[in-house]
């Protein structure tokens, strides 16, 4: 269980932990890893240790992974930030948000404390889990050959990633060997027919669909792979983390969708989840009559107009809401 978090978010961190422990982890006792760009306070350590059913570890982020690289033109960063602020783009004026997105994109999986792990579940402060998870999702991922797992999917704000798609296309042109056969390109580009073995380029316009990365259950080794490492380094050199405000969500999503066969991506349809402003509650009768879930069935972001999940169902060849619980 991995949480990147600030000291002042202690209460929200405890709240997320309470949900995760009650619904899942008290039976499994997976260790928690907390990461921060500042040292954790003793209070933060004491309270989160108390909430955890398993081991806990606290990591400080290397300064050089949370600072502006030398090749970035700070004058241009400032100018672009002001432009984005005037357009009311969310987090447009925040430098720390940019560091956070870059860290989640390119560094967390290389942290010393995660060295011995293959899998992680990303937990953010202030989220809620509505349903019991009484099987081990890590085992599920491993035994079903899955690499990336998500719960919600939606559109990204174009103003935050104006050149991300062009950069991604350029990366794939330069590195066609990383494009997986049977990738999920048709999730990102409307009207695209599923890509076939031997395709070496991607084209079309990005529809902004991505997996919401505040929840992730995924393989750390995918991010550590040559394909993703090269992709991150290429993007970092473009400077879009600072000149724009590239998020880790579209970057993780594009990488998973293009460098993996699509059947390695798993939608956790059985997980009830809230990260404001959205929540989703499993819609099947069984999850409710069994008492497994406590959530309002009105909360079905999945088929909201802003959700990309209907596209995912089509791409993945699943019928709507396909089976709330993975076959165990
Ligand atoms: P949002 O979900 O996009 O609105 O952004 P959040 O504020 O939730 O930030 C995403 C994640 O990064 C959360 O886990 C935050 O606790 C964490 N985070 C954001 N900014 C910082 C920061 O400056 N320092 C640290 N240590 N964590 C941060
Ligand atoms: Mn958040």
């Amino acid at each position: 269980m991995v949480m990147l978090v600030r000291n002042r978010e202690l209460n929200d961190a405890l709240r997320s932990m309470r949900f995760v422990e009650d619904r899942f982890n008290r039976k499994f006792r997976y260790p928690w890893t907390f990461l921060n760009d500042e040292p954790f306070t003793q209070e933060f350590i004491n309270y989160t240790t108390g909430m955890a059913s398993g081991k806990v570890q606290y990591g400080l982020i290397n300064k050089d992974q949370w600072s502006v690289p030398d090749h970035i033109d700070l004058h241009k960063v400032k100018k672009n930030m002001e432009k984005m602020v005037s357009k009311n783009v969310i987090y447009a004026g925040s430098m720390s948000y940019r560091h956070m997105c870059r860290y989640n994109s390119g560094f967390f999986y290389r942290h010393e404390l995660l060295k011995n792990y293959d899998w992680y579940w990303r937990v953010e402060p202030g989220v809620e889990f509505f349903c019991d998870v009484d099987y081990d999702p890590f085992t599920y991922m491993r035994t079903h050959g899955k690499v990336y797992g998500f719960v919600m999917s939606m559109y990204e704000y174009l103003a935050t990633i104006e050149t991300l798609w062009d950069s991604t296309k350029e990366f794939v042109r330069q590195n066609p060997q990383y494009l997986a056969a049977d990738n999920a390109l048709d999730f990102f580009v409307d009207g695209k027919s599923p890509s076939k073995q031997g395709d070496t380029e991607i084209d079309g316009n990005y529809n902004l669909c991505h997996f919401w990365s505040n929840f992730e259950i995924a393989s750390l080794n995918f991010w550590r792979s040559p394909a993703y490492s090269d992709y991150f380094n290429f993007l970092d050199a473009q400077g879009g983390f600072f000149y724009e405000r590239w998020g880790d969500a579209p970057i993780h999503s594009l990488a998973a969708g293009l460098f993996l066969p699509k059947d390695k991506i798993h939608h956790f349809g059985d997980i009830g989840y809230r990260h404001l402003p959205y929540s989703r509650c499993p819609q099947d009768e069984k999850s409710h009559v069994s008492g497994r879930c406590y959530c309002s069935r009105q909360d079905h972001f999945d088929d909201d107009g802003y959700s990309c999940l209907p596209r995912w169902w089509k791409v993945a060849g699943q019928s709507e809401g396909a089976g709330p619980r993975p076959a165990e």
Side-chain angles (χ1 to χ4, degrees):
M1 321 304 297
V2 179
M3 191 187 293
L4 173 69
V5 60
R6 290 162 285 205
N7 284 307
R8 63 173 150 90
E9 295 175 294
L10 172 58
N11 216 55
D12 282 339
L14 291 170
R15 181 176 160 74
S16 295
M17 288 182 77
R18 189 70 267 157
F19 277 100
V20 171
E21 289 293 345
D22 285 349
R23 291 306 198 168
F24 164 70
N25 200 44
R26 65 190 172 133
K27 284 180 253 156
F28 293 88
R29 301 186 169 220
Y30 279 110
W32 287 87
T33 301
F34 297 91
L35 300 175
N36 193 350
D37 58 305
E38 289 176 4
F40 282 110
T41 61
Q42 199 56 49
E43 186 191 28
F44 190 99
I45 292 173
N46 291 347
Y47 287 18
T48 49
T49 300
M51 191 64 79
S53 59
K55 269 190 346 188
V56 282
Q57 41 182 11
Y58 299 87
L60 186 61
I61 292 168
N62 288 340
K63 205 75 219 147
D64 62 320
Q65 297 178 341
W66 197 279
S67 46
V68 182
D70 290 341
H71 69 270
I72 298 292
D73 172 353
L74 284 171
H75 181 69
K76 182 172 160 189
V77 173
K78 187 159 169 280
K79 243 180 36 205
N80 289 2
M81 268 172 113
E82 283 163 6
K83 234 187 290 170
M84 289 173 74
V85 169
S86 72
K87 288 196 279 183
N88 290 319
V89 177
I90 185 168
Y91 298 119
S94 170
M95 205 58 184
S96 66
Y97 196 85
R98 287 173 170 76
H99 289 307
M100 178 278 287
C101 291
R102 181 167 174 261
Y103 189 79
N104 273 324
S105 297
F107 299 109
F108 81 96
Y109 50 88
R110 303 189 227 177
H111 197 283
E112 175 72 16
L113 293 178
L114 297 181
K115 212 175 51 196
N116 294 325
Y117 294 97
D118 293 332
W119 300 92
Y120 70 102
W121 178 334
R122 172 168 163 185
V123 179
E124 283 203 358
V127 301
E128 292 178 33
F129 287 91
F130 302 129
C131 305
D132 291 335
V133 178
D134 43 27
Y135 62 96
D136 185 329
F138 301 110
T139 304
Y140 175 84
M141 297 284 287
R142 188 168 43 78
T143 56
H144 290 75
K146 305 289 184 182
V147 173
Y148 187 85
F150 72 100
V151 174
M152 282 195 259
S153 169
M154 65 192 64
Y155 299 95
E156 181 57 294
Y157 299 103
L158 176 59
T160 66
I161 52 161
E162 285 195 0
T163 65
L164 176 61
W165 180 243
D166 281 343
S167 297
T168 301
K169 284 198 283 198
E170 181 55 30
F171 176 77
V172 171
R173 245 190 306 278
Q174 291 180 21
N175 301 274
Q177 75 279 12
Y178 292 144
L179 194 62
D182 203 26
N183 59 57
L185 178 60
D186 46 336
F187 179 58
F188 304 125
V189 178
D190 294 338
K192 188 81 194 159
S193 52
S195 15
K196 290 177 282 301
Q197 186 130 29
D199 284 356
T200 55
E201 285 207 23
I202 58 176
D203 59 13
N205 292 321
Y206 180 31
N207 59 19
L208 307 175
C209 284
H210 65 288
F211 309 121
W212 219 17
S213 63
N214 47 66
F215 170 100
E216 287 181 323
I217 294 179
S219 160
L220 289 163
N221 293 325
F222 175 58
W223 310 127
R224 294 166 180 152
S225 70
Y228 188 77
S229 302
D230 290 354
Y231 181 54
F232 172 74
N233 290 337
F234 181 89
L235 294 181
D236 202 31
Q238 308 297 305
F241 289 107
F242 298 99
Y243 299 139
E244 298 177 20
R245 207 223 65 205
W246 291 353
D248 53 284
I251 290 172
H252 282 185
S253 303
L254 289 170
L258 296 174
F259 309 148
L260 293 172
K262 62 188 172 195
D263 62 3
K264 292 195 174 296
I265 299 176
H266 179 64
H267 175 238
F268 279 98
D270 56 323
I271 290 188
Y273 180 62
R274 169 179 288 152
H275 174 293
L276 288 174
Y278 301 116
S279 42
R280 59 95 54 184
C281 177
Q283 296 294 305
D284 63 300
E285 187 69 6
K286 192 166 166 232
S287 291
H288 295 271
V289 293
S290 64
R292 190 179 77 85
C293 295
Y294 173 71
C295 49
S296 162
R297 286 164 85 172
Q298 266 77 275
D299 283 340
H300 49 110
F301 181 72
D302 293 5
D303 53 15
D304 185 280
Y306 203 62
S307 167
C308 286
L309 206 61
R311 282 172 207 276
W312 178 255
W313 287 327
K314 243 194 268 170
V315 169
Q318 289 170 1
S319 62
E320 189 169 321
R325 315 195 65 182
E328 287 174 52

